[in-house]
Every structure is written in structure tokens, then in C-alpha cells.
Amino acid sequence: PFFAAISALRVGADLSHVFCTRDAATVIKTYSPELIVHPYLLESSSMPQGGGKVPVDAETVTQVADKVSQWMSRLDVLVVGPGLGRDHLLLECVTEIIKRAKDANLPLIIDADGLFLVNLNPNLVAGYK
């Protein structure tokens, strides 16, 4: 997510927010103080049950999506995919975030593992303009 965010700044964006996992946030913050980093996303390995295939809890997904959604009114576009990975809990959280972005009519740029997510569920973006 760092390269997508810093590239936006370099081509003229005033602000660039990065929504990522806690582990990634620390590293991204050390690369550039110009980025606004929000460590809201969760991976299975960050859950109390430990790594592996942790059951997806709808309440957890909702809480993560709520945290990101509160910023959507301040965003001009949402980039999904670079640095995303394929952790099933993280993908569930991002699926909900994409749905909320669509509801808010927020333009989406989907790349990298975001395309993997859309391939799993094409209805996620079907008909969205």
C-alpha cells in the first residue's frame, strides 16, 4: 500500500490515507511521515485464536468496516488491492468495505490482490459505475 499511497502524493494528492494491518502500519510509517496511516484492518494471525483458518466473525468484520467507513466522506477515491494479501479474514473485511464504498458512491481503483478478491466474487463490483 505504501507505493500506491506515496505515488498519489507525488502526482498531486493533498492527503493520502493508508488503511492497513497493525503490523504493516509500523513499517509504512517509517517510510514516510507524509502518509496518514490507519491500522484498522485485521488478519487471522492477529486474532486471539492465532494463525490458521480462524472463523470469520461478522461482528469483527462490521467493526473494521465501521472504522474505515467513518473516513469515506473525506476520500475522493479508494484504492483496494496493493499489499492486501489473501488472508480470508482480511478479504472479508475488505469485501464489506467495498460494499460500503459503493453505497457511498466512492470511486474505486482495484488492483493486485483486490482483483483476486473480485475474481472470487464478481458481484462485488458488477454494475458499479
Side-chain angles (χ1 to χ4, degrees):
F2 167 77
F3 291 111
I6 203 72
S7 295
L9 288 177
R10 292 203 173 140
V11 297
D14 291 331
L15 296 172
S16 192
H17 294 262
V18 177
F19 298 95
C20 58
T21 62
R22 184 173 290 138
D23 291 340
T26 305
V27 176
I28 293 168
K29 284 180 185 180
T30 63
Y31 287 151
S32 175
E34 297 172 304
L35 300 175
I36 302 167
V37 181
H38 306 275
Y40 298 158
L41 302 182
L42 296 175
E43 293 178 294
S44 299
S45 61
S46 65
M47 298 304 289
Q49 298 91 339
K53 193 120 176 155
V54 178
V56 174
D57 175 22
E59 184 177 333
T60 299
V61 171
T62 299
Q63 288 173 355
V64 169
D66 286 346
K67 288 180 182 179
V68 175
S69 295
Q70 71 184 358
W71 290 94
M72 286 186 185
S73 65
R74 298 178 187 172
L75 304 178
D76 293 316
V77 65
L78 183 64
V79 179
V80 178
L84 183 61
R86 297 185 178 185
D87 178 82
H88 73 286
L89 175 59
L90 184 57
L91 293 178
E92 286 295 324
C93 292
V94 172
T95 296
E96 183 61 27
I97 291 165
I98 290 173
K99 289 177 184 177
R100 292 181 186 204
K102 285 174 43 182
D103 291 343
N105 291 317
L106 184 63
L108 294 168
I109 297 173
I110 300 176
D111 195 15
D113 282 325
L115 295 173
F116 172 78
L117 176 60
V118 169
N119 187 50
L120 294 176
N121 184 5
N123 290 331
L124 192 57
V125 295
Y128 186 59
K129 296 179 182 183

